[in-house]
Amino acid sequence: MAFLKVSNITKSFGATEVLKGIDFTLEKGEVLAIIGSSGSGKTTLLRCLNYLETPDTGSITVDGNTYFDAEENKTLSESEIRKRRLHFGLVFQSFNLFPQYTVLQNLTLAAKLLRQDELKKQYKSKAISKEEYKAKKSAIPNELNGIAYALLEKVGLTEKADFYPCQLSGGQQQRAAIARALALTPDILCFDEPTSALDPELTGEVLNVIRGLKSSDSTMIVVTHEMEFAANVADKIIFMANGVIEEFGTPDEVFDSPKSPLLQSFLGKNSFAG
Amino acid sequence: MELFLEVTLKLLQGFGTTCALFILTLIFALPLGLLISFGTMSKFKPLRTVMKVIVWIVRGIPLMLQVFIVYYVPGFIGITVLIKHRFLSATIAFVLNYACYFSEIFRAGIEAVPRGQTEAGLVLGMTKGQIFTRVTLQQVFKRIIPPMGNEIITLVKDTALARVISVMDIIMEAERFAASSGIIWPLFYTAVFYLIFVGALTLLFGYLEKKQSYYKI
């Protein structure tokens, strides 16, 4: 059984049908690159996976658990959506770091709030005593800082832990944003054109970090315009056009022997960039 | 010299009333303004429309007239408490008026925070409340310091309008010297009090702005 199974996702904004029935599967540890021209629905698909948009129909299953089903979704509480959403992480095109917090605080803020909430729940249901509650609560910052520093090392930003986002370059900001998404240990990490807002000389460092994350237990979906990166790093490629998956396959299949005429012309236009 | 001391003391007394009106207006109008801004940004259209109409009316009528309205109009329908309490009437009128002006400043500040900030919080599993208090509100605060400072300085001087229903503010005290003894300089002397107060506020807002300058948005 596939790790991620996306079935019949459709999404319309008013009269515009942006996604017209998306189906695909992905295995654990695989990297999926989604390519296609602007307006093909790539970003909307990622946003659906992260609950930022609610699909009109379809379902999303991770590891055998259905996290989204258009039929039941209307009845879900906000906290239930929040819990499910954490199976997916998202790195934005425009980083979206919180400017008033340091890099370290950006990494730990959400996790701290989640842990505090959990602890409070345990305390309220009398599963732990007041002393335990207090002791555990005061241990949270140290624990999370440890995790955060390990992640910062992974993305090469250990020295920038106490810097504010405005003091970092775009590439450094995006690397910090990747570490922030990883801090919540999502099952599947999504990237929405992670290098499109960067100067060309800064895209390399971000792509290298993403490449470095590739391992047997990290599943990633990357919407990208970097064809070389897609060809070298991805295990599977989706080419989207006009709200449908026009072509799906391994990099060799997609880049070396494209079947769809739309993909052929798309790759032709991109041959200079590649 | 004796007269100068006497005038200063009297004006200080009036200035106490001015300051009280100023502070009470701020304490109540700031939170109320935030609530009104939520109303004018509500996704629920009837509420949004009602709040926008209220803001239009309150900003559209002279504050002086609103002071009269709050003081006299409830009496017509049998509510006599306000006609007996001039200071309370003035305070209510000021709070309502300034809350509406503040609400527009809050709205501008909140809408200026990029949608991506909220979305980043959402995908990190934060609740909407946590996102508002931990992420959005601080950025709103930084953005609105200059327009808020402007509006609050205007409020200092607008308090003088309360004397239309005989609230004994600093200018009214000065006018009484003119009326009773024919000396007019206390009236101009009041400007010194206002200037000192506004000067202190200017320093305060400058300090707040500097304190928030450690990050850029």
Side-chain angles (χ1 to χ4, degrees), chain A residues 93-134:
Chain A
Q93 182 177 348
S94 49
F95 331 135
N96 294 345
L97 290 170
F98 305 133
Q100 72 267 43
Y101 293 121
T102 63
V103 169
L104 187 67
Q105 289 168 330
N106 262 281
L107 263 66
T108 54
L109 176 69
K112 191 177 83 190
L113 294 171
L114 276 170
R115 293 218 184 170
Q116 283 174 349
D117 279 0
E118 255 167 55
L119 214 53
K120 209 177 258 173
K121 254 183 230 159
Q122 283 179 14
Y123 173 58
K124 275 193 178 152
S125 66
K126 301 220 161 74
I128 51 172
S129 68
K130 192 171 184 177
E131 286 72 34
E132 266 180 287
Y133 170 71
K134 277 189 176 165

mmCIF file of all heavy atoms in Angstrom, chain A residues 93-134:
data_model
loop_
_atom_site.group_PDB
_atom_site.id
_atom_site.type_symbol
_atom_site.label_atom_id
_atom_site.label_comp_id
_atom_site.label_asym_id
_atom_site.label_seq_id
_atom_site.Cartn_x
_atom_site.Cartn_y
_atom_site.Cartn_z
ATOM 1 N N GLN A 93 6.975 29.730 -0.704
ATOM 2 C CA GLN A 93 7.809 30.460 -1.657
ATOM 3 C C GLN A 93 8.417 31.708 -1.000
ATOM 4 O O GLN A 93 9.567 32.026 -1.195
ATOM 5 C CB GLN A 93 6.938 30.857 -2.851
ATOM 6 C CG GLN A 93 7.669 31.577 -3.943
ATOM 7 C CD GLN A 93 6.743 31.866 -5.118
ATOM 8 O OE1 GLN A 93 5.642 31.352 -5.212
ATOM 9 N NE2 GLN A 93 7.198 32.695 -6.019
ATOM 10 N N SER A 94 7.585 32.396 -0.202
ATOM 11 C CA SER A 94 8.045 33.648 0.400
ATOM 12 C C SER A 94 8.471 33.464 1.857
ATOM 13 O O SER A 94 8.358 34.387 2.659
ATOM 14 C CB SER A 94 6.951 34.694 0.288
ATOM 15 O OG SER A 94 5.730 34.141 0.745
ATOM 16 N N PHE A 95 8.927 32.301 2.207
ATOM 17 C CA PHE A 95 9.478 31.927 3.529
ATOM 18 C C PHE A 95 8.462 32.035 4.671
ATOM 19 O O PHE A 95 8.292 31.109 5.434
ATOM 20 C CB PHE A 95 10.732 32.731 3.912
ATOM 21 C CG PHE A 95 11.573 33.203 2.766
ATOM 22 C CD1 PHE A 95 12.060 34.507 2.718
ATOM 23 C CD2 PHE A 95 11.865 32.357 1.710
ATOM 24 C CE1 PHE A 95 12.838 34.938 1.652
ATOM 25 C CE2 PHE A 95 12.642 32.778 0.638
ATOM 26 C CZ PHE A 95 13.119 34.073 0.613
ATOM 27 N N ASN A 96 7.850 33.244 4.787
ATOM 28 C CA ASN A 96 6.884 33.491 5.856
ATOM 29 C C ASN A 96 7.409 33.198 7.250
ATOM 30 O O ASN A 96 6.690 32.691 8.106
ATOM 31 C CB ASN A 96 5.594 32.694 5.625
ATOM 32 C CG ASN A 96 4.848 33.156 4.402
ATOM 33 O OD1 ASN A 96 5.132 34.241 3.879
ATOM 34 N ND2 ASN A 96 3.922 32.367 3.921
ATOM 35 N N LEU A 97 8.659 33.532 7.497
ATOM 36 C CA LEU A 97 9.162 33.472 8.869
ATOM 37 C C LEU A 97 8.465 34.566 9.669
ATOM 38 O O LEU A 97 8.021 35.567 9.100
ATOM 39 C CB LEU A 97 10.679 33.687 8.890
ATOM 40 C CG LEU A 97 11.517 32.549 8.304
ATOM 41 C CD1 LEU A 97 12.968 33.000 8.166
ATOM 42 C CD2 LEU A 97 11.445 31.298 9.167
ATOM 43 N N PHE A 98 8.386 34.372 10.990
ATOM 44 C CA PHE A 98 7.782 35.405 11.830
ATOM 45 C C PHE A 98 8.862 36.454 12.131
ATOM 46 O O PHE A 98 9.840 36.149 12.807
ATOM 47 C CB PHE A 98 7.239 34.795 13.127
ATOM 48 C CG PHE A 98 6.261 33.668 12.891
ATOM 49 C CD1 PHE A 98 6.367 32.485 13.584
ATOM 50 C CD2 PHE A 98 5.229 33.803 11.963
ATOM 51 C CE1 PHE A 98 5.463 31.445 13.372
ATOM 52 C CE2 PHE A 98 4.331 32.774 11.739
ATOM 53 C CZ PHE A 98 4.444 31.586 12.446
ATOM 54 N N PRO A 99 8.686 37.678 11.622
ATOM 55 C CA PRO A 99 9.800 38.646 11.666
ATOM 56 C C PRO A 99 10.188 39.079 13.075
ATOM 57 O O PRO A 99 11.330 39.451 13.302
ATOM 58 C CB PRO A 99 9.257 39.827 10.859
ATOM 59 C CG PRO A 99 7.775 39.697 10.906
ATOM 60 C CD PRO A 99 7.500 38.223 10.962
ATOM 61 N N GLN A 100 9.236 39.012 14.012
ATOM 62 C CA GLN A 100 9.550 39.536 15.355
ATOM 63 C C GLN A 100 10.250 38.521 16.241
ATOM 64 O O GLN A 100 10.590 38.828 17.370
ATOM 65 C CB GLN A 100 8.275 40.045 16.040
ATOM 66 C CG GLN A 100 7.299 38.963 16.494
ATOM 67 C CD GLN A 100 6.232 38.667 15.453
ATOM 68 O OE1 GLN A 100 6.515 38.562 14.272
ATOM 69 N NE2 GLN A 100 4.996 38.532 15.885
ATOM 70 N N TYR A 101 10.439 37.290 15.705
ATOM 71 C CA TYR A 101 11.106 36.258 16.490
ATOM 72 C C TYR A 101 12.462 35.909 15.882
ATOM 73 O O TYR A 101 12.649 36.007 14.671
ATOM 74 C CB TYR A 101 10.244 34.993 16.537
ATOM 75 C CG TYR A 101 8.955 35.161 17.301
ATOM 76 C CD1 TYR A 101 7.727 34.947 16.691
ATOM 77 C CD2 TYR A 101 8.971 35.527 18.650
ATOM 78 C CE1 TYR A 101 6.539 35.092 17.396
ATOM 79 C CE2 TYR A 101 7.789 35.675 19.352
ATOM 80 C CZ TYR A 101 6.577 35.458 18.720
ATOM 81 O OH TYR A 101 5.410 35.610 19.420
ATOM 82 N N THR A 102 13.377 35.480 16.732
ATOM 83 C CA THR A 102 14.671 35.024 16.235
ATOM 84 C C THR A 102 14.477 33.704 15.495
ATOM 85 O O THR A 102 13.419 33.083 15.575
ATOM 86 C CB THR A 102 15.659 34.773 17.395
ATOM 87 O OG1 THR A 102 15.138 33.722 18.206
ATOM 88 C CG2 THR A 102 15.862 36.014 18.238
ATOM 89 N N VAL A 103 15.518 33.285 14.796
ATOM 90 C CA VAL A 103 15.469 32.014 14.077
ATOM 91 C C VAL A 103 15.096 30.890 15.053
ATOM 92 O O VAL A 103 14.205 30.076 14.789
ATOM 93 C CB VAL A 103 16.831 31.734 13.408
ATOM 94 C CG1 VAL A 103 16.892 30.311 12.883
ATOM 95 C CG2 VAL A 103 17.062 32.725 12.272
ATOM 96 N N LEU A 104 15.763 30.867 16.201
ATOM 97 C CA LEU A 104 15.494 29.815 17.190
ATOM 98 C C LEU A 104 14.029 29.852 17.649
ATOM 99 O O LEU A 104 13.361 28.819 17.726
ATOM 100 C CB LEU A 104 16.434 29.999 18.392
ATOM 101 C CG LEU A 104 16.394 28.879 19.430
ATOM 102 C CD1 LEU A 104 16.953 27.594 18.850
ATOM 103 C CD2 LEU A 104 17.194 29.275 20.680
ATOM 104 N N GLN A 105 13.530 31.052 17.926
ATOM 105 C CA GLN A 105 12.134 31.173 18.366
ATOM 106 C C GLN A 105 11.160 30.758 17.266
ATOM 107 O O GLN A 105 10.118 30.174 17.540
ATOM 108 C CB GLN A 105 11.846 32.621 18.802
ATOM 109 C CG GLN A 105 12.528 32.997 20.101
ATOM 110 C CD GLN A 105 12.474 34.502 20.354
ATOM 111 O OE1 GLN A 105 12.444 35.308 19.421
ATOM 112 N NE2 GLN A 105 12.470 34.886 21.613
ATOM 113 N N ASN A 106 11.521 31.079 16.012
ATOM 114 C CA ASN A 106 10.690 30.647 14.894
ATOM 115 C C ASN A 106 10.561 29.124 14.873
ATOM 116 O O ASN A 106 9.510 28.579 14.575
ATOM 117 C CB ASN A 106 11.294 31.113 13.568
ATOM 118 C CG ASN A 106 10.649 32.388 13.063
ATOM 119 O OD1 ASN A 106 9.566 32.365 12.508
ATOM 120 N ND2 ASN A 106 11.317 33.510 13.282
ATOM 121 N N LEU A 107 11.665 28.451 15.200
ATOM 122 C CA LEU A 107 11.667 26.990 15.174
ATOM 123 C C LEU A 107 10.882 26.391 16.338
ATOM 124 O O LEU A 107 10.304 25.316 16.206
ATOM 125 C CB LEU A 107 13.108 26.462 15.213
ATOM 126 C CG LEU A 107 13.739 26.093 13.870
ATOM 127 C CD1 LEU A 107 13.915 27.319 13.002
ATOM 128 C CD2 LEU A 107 15.076 25.411 14.071
ATOM 129 N N THR A 108 10.893 27.068 17.480
ATOM 130 C CA THR A 108 10.331 26.433 18.676
ATOM 131 C C THR A 108 8.925 26.899 19.030
ATOM 132 O O THR A 108 8.234 26.219 19.788
ATOM 133 C CB THR A 108 11.239 26.690 19.901
ATOM 134 O OG1 THR A 108 11.437 28.096 20.034
ATOM 135 C CG2 THR A 108 12.582 26.013 19.731
ATOM 136 N N LEU A 109 8.485 28.054 18.489
ATOM 137 C CA LEU A 109 7.215 28.640 18.941
ATOM 138 C C LEU A 109 6.030 27.668 18.849
ATOM 139 O O LEU A 109 5.357 27.404 19.843
ATOM 140 C CB LEU A 109 6.909 29.910 18.130
ATOM 141 C CG LEU A 109 5.556 30.567 18.438
ATOM 142 C CD1 LEU A 109 5.557 31.165 19.833
ATOM 143 C CD2 LEU A 109 5.221 31.647 17.410
ATOM 144 N N ALA A 110 5.794 27.131 17.656
ATOM 145 C CA ALA A 110 4.612 26.277 17.470
ATOM 146 C C ALA A 110 4.708 25.005 18.305
ATOM 147 O O ALA A 110 3.737 24.598 18.945
ATOM 148 C CB ALA A 110 4.438 25.935 15.996
ATOM 149 N N ALA A 111 5.905 24.416 18.325
ATOM 150 C CA ALA A 111 6.078 23.184 19.093
ATOM 151 C C ALA A 111 5.854 23.442 20.584
ATOM 152 O O ALA A 111 5.255 22.621 21.287
ATOM 153 C CB ALA A 111 7.475 22.621 18.860
ATOM 154 N N LYS A 112 6.311 24.591 21.040
ATOM 155 C CA LYS A 112 6.141 24.933 22.454
ATOM 156 C C LYS A 112 4.656 25.036 22.790
ATOM 157 O O LYS A 112 4.193 24.480 23.790
ATOM 158 C CB LYS A 112 6.848 26.272 22.740
ATOM 159 C CG LYS A 112 6.969 26.588 24.208
ATOM 160 C CD LYS A 112 7.724 27.879 24.445
ATOM 161 C CE LYS A 112 6.805 29.062 24.292
ATOM 162 N NZ LYS A 112 7.482 30.354 24.279
ATOM 163 N N LEU A 113 3.907 25.733 21.934
ATOM 164 C CA LEU A 113 2.471 25.897 22.186
ATOM 165 C C LEU A 113 1.766 24.538 22.168
ATOM 166 O O LEU A 113 0.897 24.278 23.004
ATOM 167 C CB LEU A 113 1.854 26.831 21.137
ATOM 168 C CG LEU A 113 2.356 28.275 21.200
ATOM 169 C CD1 LEU A 113 1.873 29.064 19.991
ATOM 170 C CD2 LEU A 113 1.882 28.952 22.481
ATOM 171 N N LEU A 114 2.144 23.685 21.218
ATOM 172 C CA LEU A 114 1.520 22.361 21.131
ATOM 173 C C LEU A 114 1.779 21.549 22.396
ATOM 174 O O LEU A 114 0.877 20.946 22.967
ATOM 175 C CB LEU A 114 2.076 21.603 19.923
ATOM 176 C CG LEU A 114 1.432 21.894 18.576
ATOM 177 C CD1 LEU A 114 2.245 21.265 17.459
ATOM 178 C CD2 LEU A 114 0.004 21.369 18.542
ATOM 179 N N ARG A 115 3.044 21.570 22.829
ATOM 180 C CA ARG A 115 3.391 20.770 24.013
ATOM 181 C C ARG A 115 2.711 21.297 25.258
ATOM 182 O O ARG A 115 2.264 20.533 26.108
ATOM 183 C CB ARG A 115 4.901 20.788 24.221
ATOM 184 C CG ARG A 115 5.612 20.074 23.115
ATOM 185 C CD ARG A 115 6.773 19.297 23.645
ATOM 186 N NE ARG A 115 7.485 18.688 22.534
ATOM 187 C CZ ARG A 115 8.656 18.088 22.645
ATOM 188 N NH1 ARG A 115 9.232 18.003 23.815
ATOM 189 N NH2 ARG A 115 9.229 17.562 21.594
ATOM 190 N N GLN A 116 2.659 22.635 25.355
ATOM 191 C CA GLN A 116 2.000 23.216 26.530
ATOM 192 C C GLN A 116 0.524 22.832 26.569
ATOM 193 O O GLN A 116 -0.007 22.502 27.621
ATOM 194 C CB GLN A 116 2.160 24.741 26.524
ATOM 195 C CG GLN A 116 3.548 25.183 26.952
ATOM 196 C CD GLN A 116 3.752 26.673 26.815
ATOM 197 O OE1 GLN A 116 2.935 27.369 26.216
ATOM 198 N NE2 GLN A 116 4.852 27.173 27.345
ATOM 199 N N ASP A 117 -0.113 22.855 25.395
ATOM 200 C CA ASP A 117 -1.530 22.474 25.319
ATOM 201 C C ASP A 117 -1.732 21.029 25.763
ATOM 202 O O ASP A 117 -2.631 20.729 26.538
ATOM 203 C CB ASP A 117 -2.046 22.620 23.877
ATOM 204 C CG ASP A 117 -2.398 24.062 23.564
ATOM 205 O OD1 ASP A 117 -2.235 24.909 24.473
ATOM 206 O OD2 ASP A 117 -2.820 24.341 22.431
ATOM 207 N N GLU A 118 -0.859 20.153 25.235
ATOM 208 C CA GLU A 118 -0.962 18.739 25.584
ATOM 209 C C GLU A 118 -0.812 18.522 27.078
ATOM 210 O O GLU A 118 -1.586 17.801 27.703
ATOM 211 C CB GLU A 118 0.160 17.966 24.880
ATOM 212 C CG GLU A 118 -0.284 17.135 23.699
ATOM 213 C CD GLU A 118 0.918 16.684 22.889
ATOM 214 O OE1 GLU A 118 1.821 16.066 23.478
ATOM 215 O OE2 GLU A 118 0.953 16.999 21.680
ATOM 216 N N LEU A 119 0.206 19.193 27.618
ATOM 217 C CA LEU A 119 0.500 19.048 29.045
ATOM 218 C C LEU A 119 -0.674 19.536 29.882
ATOM 219 O O LEU A 119 -1.068 18.914 30.875
ATOM 220 C CB LEU A 119 1.758 19.865 29.352
ATOM 221 C CG LEU A 119 2.688 19.316 30.413
ATOM 222 C CD1 LEU A 119 3.078 17.883 30.109
ATOM 223 C CD2 LEU A 119 3.946 20.178 30.494
ATOM 224 N N LYS A 120 -1.256 20.649 29.454
ATOM 225 C CA LYS A 120 -2.383 21.222 30.180
ATOM 226 C C LYS A 120 -3.554 20.245 30.174
ATOM 227 O O LYS A 120 -4.249 20.083 31.169
ATOM 228 C CB LYS A 120 -2.786 22.558 29.544
ATOM 229 C CG LYS A 120 -3.408 23.525 30.539
ATOM 230 C CD LYS A 120 -3.726 24.844 29.888
ATOM 231 C CE LYS A 120 -2.701 25.922 30.217
ATOM 232 N NZ LYS A 120 -2.911 27.149 29.454
ATOM 233 N N LYS A 121 -3.743 19.612 29.024
ATOM 234 C CA LYS A 121 -4.831 18.626 28.913
ATOM 235 C C LYS A 121 -4.604 17.472 29.884
ATOM 236 O O LYS A 121 -5.521 17.047 30.583
ATOM 237 C CB LYS A 121 -4.908 18.098 27.472
ATOM 238 C CG LYS A 121 -6.103 18.647 26.705
ATOM 239 C CD LYS A 121 -6.165 18.048 25.315
ATOM 240 C CE LYS A 121 -6.327 19.143 24.271
ATOM 241 N NZ LYS A 121 -5.902 18.725 22.940
ATOM 242 N N GLN A 122 -3.355 16.973 29.909
ATOM 243 C CA GLN A 122 -3.032 15.868 30.821
ATOM 244 C C GLN A 122 -3.295 16.265 32.271
ATOM 245 O O GLN A 122 -3.843 15.497 33.051
ATOM 246 C CB GLN A 122 -1.555 15.490 30.687
ATOM 247 C CG GLN A 122 -1.267 14.677 29.447
ATOM 248 C CD GLN A 122 0.215 14.339 29.354
ATOM 249 O OE1 GLN A 122 0.960 14.485 30.324
ATOM 250 N NE2 GLN A 122 0.647 13.893 28.196
ATOM 251 N N TYR A 123 -2.900 17.506 32.593
ATOM 252 C CA TYR A 123 -3.057 17.982 33.963
ATOM 253 C C TYR A 123 -4.531 18.121 34.312
ATOM 254 O O TYR A 123 -4.978 17.732 35.397
ATOM 255 C CB TYR A 123 -2.328 19.315 34.120
ATOM 256 C CG TYR A 123 -2.555 19.987 35.439
ATOM 257 C CD1 TYR A 123 -2.234 19.339 36.631
ATOM 258 C CD2 TYR A 123 -3.075 21.272 35.498
ATOM 259 C CE1 TYR A 123 -2.436 19.955 37.848
ATOM 260 C CE2 TYR A 123 -3.283 21.897 36.710
ATOM 261 C CZ TYR A 123 -2.961 21.238 37.886
ATOM 262 O OH TYR A 123 -3.179 21.842 39.088
ATOM 263 N N LYS A 124 -5.306 18.640 33.368
ATOM 264 C CA LYS A 124 -6.735 18.854 33.624
ATOM 265 C C LYS A 124 -7.479 17.535 33.769
ATOM 266 O O LYS A 124 -8.442 17.445 34.538
ATOM 267 C CB LYS A 124 -7.354 19.698 32.504
ATOM 268 C CG LYS A 124 -7.160 21.180 32.771
ATOM 269 C CD LYS A 124 -8.023 22.047 31.870
ATOM 270 C CE LYS A 124 -7.830 23.514 32.223
ATOM 271 N NZ LYS A 124 -8.063 24.371 31.060
ATOM 272 N N SER A 125 -7.040 16.511 33.026
ATOM 273 C CA SER A 125 -7.704 15.212 33.147
ATOM 274 C C SER A 125 -7.103 14.418 34.310
ATOM 275 O O SER A 125 -7.361 13.233 34.470
ATOM 276 C CB SER A 125 -7.569 14.431 31.844
ATOM 277 O OG SER A 125 -6.204 14.119 31.627
ATOM 278 N N LYS A 126 -6.257 15.110 35.086
ATOM 279 C CA LYS A 126 -5.650 14.534 36.291
ATOM 280 C C LYS A 126 -4.747 13.330 36.001
ATOM 281 O O LYS A 126 -4.554 12.461 36.863
ATOM 282 C CB LYS A 126 -6.737 14.146 37.311
ATOM 283 C CG LYS A 126 -7.596 15.333 37.730
ATOM 284 C CD LYS A 126 -7.892 15.279 39.218
ATOM 285 C CE LYS A 126 -8.336 16.632 39.741
ATOM 286 N NZ LYS A 126 -9.701 17.004 39.349
ATOM 287 N N ALA A 127 -4.211 13.262 34.791
ATOM 288 C CA ALA A 127 -3.275 12.183 34.457
ATOM 289 C C ALA A 127 -1.918 12.446 35.101
ATOM 290 O O ALA A 127 -1.159 11.518 35.374
ATOM 291 C CB ALA A 127 -3.134 12.040 32.944
ATOM 292 N N ILE A 128 -1.599 13.719 35.353
ATOM 293 C CA ILE A 128 -0.339 14.047 36.027
ATOM 294 C C ILE A 128 -0.625 15.012 37.173
ATOM 295 O O ILE A 128 -1.619 15.752 37.149
ATOM 296 C CB ILE A 128 0.695 14.686 35.058
ATOM 297 C CG1 ILE A 128 0.067 15.857 34.291
ATOM 298 C CG2 ILE A 128 1.256 13.654 34.097
ATOM 299 C CD1 ILE A 128 1.064 16.660 33.477
ATOM 300 N N SER A 129 0.247 15.003 38.158
ATOM 301 C CA SER A 129 0.045 15.874 39.323
ATOM 302 C C SER A 129 0.533 17.283 38.991
ATOM 303 O O SER A 129 1.177 17.512 37.978
ATOM 304 C CB SER A 129 0.831 15.333 40.513
ATOM 305 O OG SER A 129 2.215 15.463 40.241
ATOM 306 N N LYS A 130 0.228 18.211 39.895
ATOM 307 C CA LYS A 130 0.621 19.598 39.675
ATOM 308 C C LYS A 130 2.143 19.737 39.609
ATOM 309 O O LYS A 130 2.670 20.489 38.794
ATOM 310 C CB LYS A 130 0.064 20.465 40.815
ATOM 311 C CG LYS A 130 0.180 21.948 40.527
ATOM 312 C CD LYS A 130 -0.562 22.777 41.543
ATOM 313 C CE LYS A 130 -0.492 24.243 41.157
ATOM 314 N NZ LYS A 130 -1.269 25.085 42.083
ATOM 315 N N GLU A 131 2.841 18.981 40.460
ATOM 316 C CA GLU A 131 4.306 19.047 40.483
ATOM 317 C C GLU A 131 4.876 18.545 39.151
ATOM 318 O O GLU A 131 5.769 19.158 38.579
ATOM 319 C CB GLU A 131 4.880 18.210 41.636
ATOM 320 C CG GLU A 131 4.695 18.839 43.013
ATOM 321 C CD GLU A 131 3.255 18.794 43.496
ATOM 322 O OE1 GLU A 131 2.547 17.812 43.171
ATOM 323 O OE2 GLU A 131 2.824 19.752 44.175
ATOM 324 N N GLU A 132 4.331 17.416 38.700
ATOM 325 C CA GLU A 132 4.777 16.855 37.421
ATOM 326 C C GLU A 132 4.546 17.853 36.291
ATOM 327 O O GLU A 132 5.396 18.049 35.428
ATOM 328 C CB GLU A 132 3.990 15.572 37.112
ATOM 329 C CG GLU A 132 4.660 14.288 37.557
ATOM 330 C CD GLU A 132 3.811 13.095 37.205
ATOM 331 O OE1 GLU A 132 2.766 12.889 37.869
ATOM 332 O OE2 GLU A 132 4.148 12.405 36.237
ATOM 333 N N TYR A 133 3.343 18.459 36.337
ATOM 334 C CA TYR A 133 2.973 19.426 35.311
ATOM 335 C C TYR A 133 3.990 20.562 35.271
ATOM 336 O O TYR A 133 4.508 20.924 34.213
ATOM 337 C CB TYR A 133 1.564 19.949 35.595
ATOM 338 C CG TYR A 133 1.144 21.125 34.748
ATOM 339 C CD1 TYR A 133 0.880 20.962 33.391
ATOM 340 C CD2 TYR A 133 1.014 22.396 35.306
ATOM 341 C CE1 TYR A 133 0.497 22.035 32.606
ATOM 342 C CE2 TYR A 133 0.636 23.465 34.536
ATOM 343 C CZ TYR A 133 0.376 23.290 33.185
ATOM 344 O OH TYR A 133 0.004 24.356 32.420
ATOM 345 N N LYS A 134 4.285 21.095 36.448
ATOM 346 C CA LYS A 134 5.222 22.225 36.516
ATOM 347 C C LYS A 134 6.612 21.820 36.051
ATOM 348 O O LYS A 134 7.273 22.545 35.304
ATOM 349 C CB LYS A 134 5.291 22.764 37.956
ATOM 350 C CG LYS A 134 4.173 23.735 38.265
ATOM 351 C CD LYS A 134 4.414 24.385 39.612
ATOM 352 C CE LYS A 134 3.359 25.428 39.908
ATOM 353 N NZ LYS A 134 3.362 25.794 41.332
#
